[in-house]
Amino acid sequence: MPHQLKLDDALLDRKAVQESVKWFDVSLAINTMAIIEEMGFTPQKPAKPAYEQRPAEVKQRLAEHLPCYQKQAQREDAEIHRA
């Protein structure tokens, strides 16, 4: 879990995965996500739903911000994974 590795964000992007495996004396190139997937690691849904869900606010926020995130991901040759 990201918090167990004292990572700032709950979302694991390629860079975060690369940094987190260093804890296990493993060094990975940034473009080795296929290997990570072969090991069985995939984007996960939370174990239980958030206590105070606000689906309408989430939908509005995604509508406002997702296009920006998609453009940034494209510039950085990154992928966005959503549950």
Side-chain angles (χ1 to χ4, degrees):
M1 298 297 289
H3 70 278
Q4 292 171 311
L5 298 174
K6 296 184 178 23
L7 296 174
D8 294 333
D9 199 343
L11 299 175
L12 291 175
D13 59 7
R14 289 179 181 199
K15 186 69 175 166
V17 170
Q18 184 184 39
E19 289 298 314
S20 65
V21 297
K22 288 181 181 179
W23 284 68
F24 306 101
D25 293 324
V26 174
S27 177
L28 293 175
I30 199 79
N31 294 325
T32 57
M33 296 312 288
I35 294 171
I36 300 292
E37 290 173 0
E38 287 175 14
M39 292 170 63
F41 292 95
T42 58
Q44 300 293 307
K45 292 183 179 181
K48 61 181 182 177
Y51 180 71
E52 295 179 9
Q53 291 188 7
R54 298 185 208 120
E57 289 180 33
V58 171
K59 187 175 181 179
Q60 178 185 354
R61 191 159 177 87
L62 278 174
E64 292 173 7
H65 297 281
L66 187 59
C68 238
Y69 297 147
Q70 289 171 326
K71 287 178 187 175
Q72 180 181 354
Q74 188 175 18
R75 282 193 309 270
E76 297 177 9
D77 194 28
E79 298 173 5
I80 297 176
H81 295 269
R82 293 180 27 206

